[in-house]
């Protein structure tokens, strides 16, 4: 998908940096032993940028597919999921 977007919008020079970082990580023993790979968000920010979205929109754009995925996985007879943000902080 990224290449399709770049073919329309032009190739972002930062993609070369991203590819170089990925190649370095995939060749590093630390990452190889732990089977660590870049996730989709590693490249999606560059795609969003190429599409003209301001960086301030990125967190929402990253969250939308996750929310849609969660809704798609939910059972219709399940209780609604309520997240208590204070349960994961030292404040609450």
């Amino acid at each position: 998908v990224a290449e399709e977007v770049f073919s329309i919008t032009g190739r972002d020079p930062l993609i070369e940096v991203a590819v170089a970082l990925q190649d370095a990580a995939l060749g590093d023993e630390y990452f190889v032993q732990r089977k660590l790979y870049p996730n989709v968000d590693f490249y999606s920010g560059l795609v969003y940028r190429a599409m003209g979205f301001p960086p301030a929109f990125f967190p929402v754009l990253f969250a939308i597919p996750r929310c849609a995925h969660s809704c798609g996985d939910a059972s219709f007879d399940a209780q609604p999921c309520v997240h208590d943000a204070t349960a994961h902080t030292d404040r609450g």
Side-chain angles (χ1 to χ4, degrees):
V1 173
E3 290 301 328
E4 289 179 47
V5 172
F6 295 141
S7 72
I8 296 167
T9 64
R11 193 169 175 87
D12 188 323
L14 284 178
I15 194 70
E16 303 307 326
V17 175
V19 170
L21 285 170
Q22 175 182 301
D23 290 346
L26 296 178
D28 185 279
E29 195 60 31
Y30 178 88
F31 292 91
V32 172
Q33 285 180 350
R34 291 164 178 79
K35 298 181 182 176
L36 299 174
Y37 303 95
N39 67 9
V40 68
D41 293 337
F42 185 73
Y43 288 106
S44 61
L46 294 174
V47 172
Y48 292 146
R49 182 173 128 152
M51 294 171 67
F53 288 103
F57 285 20
F58 291 3
V60 173
L61 292 169
F62 293 150
I64 290 170
R66 288 171 177 79
C67 292
H69 176 78
S70 295
C71 291
D73 284 349
S75 170
F76 286 108
D77 61 347
Q79 293 294 318
C81 177
V82 178
H83 177 71
D84 180 5
T86 62
H88 302 288
T89 66
D90 294 330
R91 292 179 266 152

